[in-house]
Amino acid sequence: MKIFTQTQIKELDQYTIANEPVKSIDLMERAAKAVALAIAEEWSTDTPIVVFAGPGNNGGDALAVARILAAKSYAVSAYLFNVEGRLSEDCDKNAHRAVDCGYLKQYVEVKKNFDPPILDSDTLIVDGLFGIGLDRPLTGGFASLVQYINQSGAHVVSIDIPSGLMPDSNEGNIRANIVKANVTYTFQQKKLAFFMADNQPYLGKLRILDIGLSKAYMQKADADYRVVEKDDLKKLLRPRSDFANKGTMGHALIIAGSYGMAGAAILATRACLRAGVGKVTVQTPQRNYAIMQIAVPEAIVEIDHDEFHYSDVVTGNHYDAIGMGPGLGQSEDTAIAMIAQIRRASVPVVLDADALNILANHGTWMQQLPKNMILTPHPGELDRLCGGRSHDDSDRLAKAMELAQKLQSYVILKGHYSALCLPSGKVIFNCTGNSGMATAGSGDVLTGMITGLLARGYNAMESCLLGMYLHGRAGDLAAEEKGRESLIASDIIDHLPGAFKEME
């Protein structure tokens, strides 16, 4: 599924109007009916409704919703904010329709002074102040109104997007001046801003309403952002030959675990095996030997000469992929061995956890990385790699995109909507997974999975997409069985077979 930018959303509306064809006022009516129906499904006619409409088309939507709900016997008070004496054409038409219908309990056009209504927990507010056209933070009277809405205790539904939230980047926005909706009814598809963790408090429950925007435009338009879909991934799955053997299914190398962190090596190795690879060798310090042999008997264990941490470059060219970093530690011996291992690698490499922290501490080494590597940072690791704390999630995503282009590699910025940043500058979001996966070792599992998929013969992009989706889906299956509160990383591994089976 494509995610369109603010500019493209406007183009989609205009293309629909021109090619359906449909008048803009009729398209607005279609959207308003969808919102009114959704409200009527959740709130009874006993609920007092206050509609706040701005001067643009989002305000026109809100006024149409007010009229439709009033005709359904809801007690609706509508406030149109026309402080500059300039309404969009369709907003003006719906203002006249709202007045002429005769159903509204109250209609107020605010041009200068505003006497705010009493709002309490029994009130439903319909927020139609500003839509996707907003390109700067709210200030002045509108900012005060938003703050009044947020502290009122009333339930709030926002039309298309909470007022004050910008649809693309919100870097530099004034967050106190964004409506905190309980429900957001957005049109046709999610906006880019909806994928940022720091914008979630403003969205509430998100519901997508299909208002019949042009499928032709959506199919032909290029998009820099999209969401990975199960049906696309099914096409990527490689069939396992009936005559396969472990020698034909790939050999992965996992370099992980320092003394006291054997668990990271165990999780990455088990996940790598569950990804379908034929053989896994794990390189780990002497102190981890016994526990690795007991915990993962299927793995081949190579012992580092150092008792406590990784320090030996693994020789030989019989591996098909390398995963490095989980629980590795950051000693100088480890750092030197790691960069030497990367330099001599002739196969795909995945870097995670301490491997990324080592790179952050040795900035000049970034220039020595080969192309088409896979880096899997969480937000803190990404900030360290890029040299400083990000202003917000939009800024952090932009840094990850820049890093992927600079290195000509694949960067998975992990989170609820993990974002795969491609060397081309495009981004693919993953929508599987849940908050129960916010637990130690979850990232180690992802590293092992992607390494295993690479060794199986998938290319870097395929391995990232399949790894993200299946990792999240296994987490969802684990949460269905065990609940989110008690979910641990090994539960994700245990449910990988179920995730793969769904894909088959």
Side-chain angles (χ1 to χ4, degrees), residues 282-340:
V282 57
Q283 172 85 0
T284 198
Q286 293 179 23
R287 284 290 184 105
N288 292 343
Y289 178 73
I291 190 171
M292 289 300 303
Q293 290 282 42
I294 295 169
V296 197
E298 300 90 346
I300 303 164
V301 182
E302 292 283 351
I303 298 302
D304 198 283
H305 84 271
D306 192 282
E307 191 173 0
F308 298 101
H309 57 257
Y310 161 68
S311 63
D312 291 340
V313 176
V314 181
T315 58
N317 57 3
H318 51 286
Y319 302 108
D320 298 298
I322 301 172
M324 304 179 67
L328 203 61
Q330 299 179 51
S331 72
E332 195 59 25
D333 284 351
T334 297
I336 292 170
M338 186 197 81
I339 192 62

Side-chain angles (χ1 to χ4, degrees), residues 181-482:
N182 298 98
V183 182
T184 299
Y185 296 120
T186 198
F187 299 139
Q188 212 64 48
Q189 59 176 198
K190 294 179 181 179
K191 281 54 176 175
L192 178 59
F194 295 0
F195 291 86
M196 306 298 139
D198 52 6
N199 293 334
Q200 300 312 304
Y202 308 101
L203 300 175
K205 182 173 70 174
L206 181 64
R207 183 171 169 184
I208 300 171
L209 303 180
D210 185 346
I211 60 169
L213 297 180
S214 173
K215 288 182 171 60
Y217 177 93
M218 290 187 279
Q219 288 171 354
K220 74 176 185 178
D222 189 26
D224 288 337
Y225 306 91
R226 64 185 178 94
V227 178
V228 64
E229 295 183 273
K230 181 179 179 180
D231 288 344
D232 294 330
L233 294 182
K234 281 184 174 181
K235 300 171 186 175
L236 298 181
L237 279 183
R238 293 173 174 244
R240 183 175 285 256
S241 169
D242 291 340
F243 294 90
N245 62 68
K246 65 182 180 182
T248 63
M249 298 304 291
H251 189 174
L253 172 64
I254 298 290
I255 300 174
S258 55
Y259 180 56
M261 295 294 290
I266 292 168
L267 291 168
T269 305
R270 288 186 61 218
C272 189
L273 286 161
R274 284 294 190 190
V277 70
K279 292 186 289 186
V280 178
T281 294
V282 57
Q283 172 85 0
T284 198
Q286 293 179 23
R287 284 290 184 105
N288 292 343
Y289 178 73
I291 190 171
M292 289 300 303
Q293 290 282 42
I294 295 169
V296 197
E298 300 90 346
I300 303 164
V301 182
E302 292 283 351
I303 298 302
D304 198 283
H305 84 271
D306 192 282
E307 191 173 0
F308 298 101
H309 57 257
Y310 161 68
S311 63
D312 291 340
V313 176
V314 181
T315 58
N317 57 3
H318 51 286
Y319 302 108
D320 298 298
I322 301 172
M324 304 179 67
L328 203 61
Q330 299 179 51
S331 72
E332 195 59 25
D333 284 351
T334 297
I336 292 170
M338 186 197 81
I339 192 62
Q341 190 82 58
I342 292 171
R343 286 186 190 131
R344 66 177 295 146
S346 58
V347 297
V349 178
V350 184
L351 299 182
D352 181 35
D354 281 330
L356 301 176
N357 293 326
I358 288 171
L359 284 179
N361 293 330
H362 298 78
T364 58
W365 289 0
M366 298 281 280
Q367 303 165 12
Q368 303 176 36
L369 300 180
K371 294 180 180 179
N372 292 317
M373 295 191 69
I374 298 173
L375 286 68
T376 62
H378 60 54
E381 290 164 347
L382 191 281
D383 285 352
R384 287 191 287 274
L385 277 173
C386 295
R389 186 176 179 83
S390 299
H391 300 298
D392 62 8
D393 286 331
S394 295
D395 178 38
R396 185 173 290 112
L397 178 62
K399 288 179 179 178
M401 294 167 65
E402 183 181 356
L403 183 64
Q405 290 177 282
K406 180 181 177 181
L407 298 179
Q408 282 298 287
S409 291
Y410 298 81
V411 177
I412 297 178
L413 178 57
K414 294 182 289 195
H416 179 62
Y417 295 117
S418 289
L420 171 59
C421 302
L422 306 179
S424 64
K426 294 182 182 293
V427 177
I428 304 174
F429 290 98
N430 180 58
C431 285
T432 58
N434 60 83
S435 58
M437 299 172 70
T439 184
S442 180
D444 303 332
V445 174
L446 178 63
T447 298
M449 289 179 62
I450 294 174
T451 306
L453 291 165
L454 287 167
R456 278 275 282 111
Y458 294 97
N459 65 35
M461 181 171 168
E462 292 169 343
S463 298
C464 290
L465 292 175
L466 284 166
M468 289 193 307
Y469 182 91
L470 290 165
H471 179 257
R473 183 58 189 144
D476 289 339
L477 292 173
E480 288 173 14
E481 179 183 324
K482 299 177 180 294

